[in-house]
């Protein structure tokens, strides 16, 4: 075991993550191909908070940023029934619904002029009780930013 530790320190094994010179980021508004206009701001706000707080990057203007995060919201399904219960007079009531959000996202290193991380058709979901759609959106956005942060941290 000591030999393993000694070898690791000699060779400098390290985990993934963004390159050390990428310290600032510009989060561009995501293009929105859906009929829900509020998604643009909600996605941008969630991604900005995650990149700044969880990845420790400082915000900067697009021209000065080391990296740019950009993407497109390609699909939004806000009302997918997932749980049912028998109602009165042989009816069925939907008790839980699902929000499904699909995006493409890219983290681009402006210094090196290369894509650091990219996902096409990244789909996230959030379930909610009927009438509480925003709860489902919030769950889906939490999963989205987790996927983005995990992806950025997994780079060599």
């Amino acid at each position: 075991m000591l030999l393993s530790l000694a070898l690791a320190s000699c060779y400098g094994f390290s985990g993934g993550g963004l390159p050390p010179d990428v310290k600032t980021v510009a989060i561009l508004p995501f293009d929105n191909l859906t009929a829900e206009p509020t998604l643009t701001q909600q996605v941008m706000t969630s991604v900005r908070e995650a990149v700044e707080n969880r990845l420790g990057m400082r915000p900067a203007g697009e021209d000065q940023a080391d990296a740019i995060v950009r993407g497109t919201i390609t699909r939004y399904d806000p009302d997918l029934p997932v749980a049912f219960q028998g109602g009165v007079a042989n009816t069925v009531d939907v008790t839980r619904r699902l929000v499904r959000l699909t995006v493409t996202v890219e983290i681009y290193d402006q210094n090196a002029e290369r894509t650091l991380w990219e996902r096409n058709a990244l789909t996230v979901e959030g379930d909610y009780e009927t009438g509480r759609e925003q709860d489902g959106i919030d769950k889906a956005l939490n999963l989205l930013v987790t996927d983005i942060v995990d992806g950025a941290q997994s780079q060599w």
Side-chain angles (χ1 to χ4, degrees), residues 28-45 47 70-77 99-105 119 121-122 124 137 141 144:
L28 303 183
F30 277 45
D31 294 329
N32 187 351
L33 305 180
T34 74
E36 182 56 53
T38 63
L39 284 177
T40 302
Q41 185 62 40
Q42 290 183 75
V43 168
M44 190 173 126
T45 299
V47 171
R70 58 185 162 211
T72 303
I73 305 164
T74 58
R75 186 170 180 146
Y76 175 63
D77 299 309
V99 165
R100 183 175 295 143
L101 181 64
T102 303
V103 300
T104 62
V105 63
R119 284 296 176 271
L122 173 59
V124 291
I137 293 170
L141 290 173
L144 175 66

Side-chain angles (χ1 to χ4, degrees), residues 110-125:
Q110 294 201 112
N111 299 325
E113 297 181 350
R114 69 182 179 99
T115 299
L116 296 173
W117 182 80
E118 182 177 28
R119 284 296 176 271
N120 293 311
L122 173 59
T123 300
V124 291
E125 299 175 335

Side-chain angles (χ1 to χ4, degrees), residues 17-134:
L18 296 172
D21 64 328
V22 175
K23 296 179 178 12
T24 60
V25 65
I27 310 295
L28 303 183
F30 277 45
D31 294 329
N32 187 351
L33 305 180
T34 74
E36 182 56 53
T38 63
L39 284 177
T40 302
Q41 185 62 40
Q42 290 183 75
V43 168
M44 190 173 126
T45 299
S46 295
V47 171
R48 181 178 30 79
E49 289 173 0
V51 168
E52 291 173 10
N53 297 335
R54 293 168 59 185
L55 290 176
M57 299 176 73
R58 293 185 319 274
E62 182 177 356
D63 293 339
Q64 295 80 31
D66 298 323
I68 294 175
V69 177
R70 58 185 162 211
T72 303
I73 305 164
T74 58
R75 186 170 180 146
Y76 175 63
D77 299 309
D79 194 21
L80 302 170
V82 293
F84 308 89
Q85 155 180 322
V88 181
N90 294 328
T91 62
V92 175
D93 295 325
V94 177
T95 58
R96 290 205 71 74
R97 297 176 184 275
L98 188 72
V99 165
R100 183 175 295 143
L101 181 64
T102 303
V103 300
T104 62
V105 63
E106 175 188 37
I107 301 175
Y108 183 79
D109 183 339
Q110 294 201 112
N111 299 325
E113 297 181 350
R114 69 182 179 99
T115 299
L116 296 173
W117 182 80
E118 182 177 28
R119 284 296 176 271
N120 293 311
L122 173 59
T123 300
V124 291
E125 299 175 335
D127 67 321
Y128 64 95
E129 293 179 20
T130 299
R132 300 188 52 100
E133 182 180 333
Q134 188 60 50

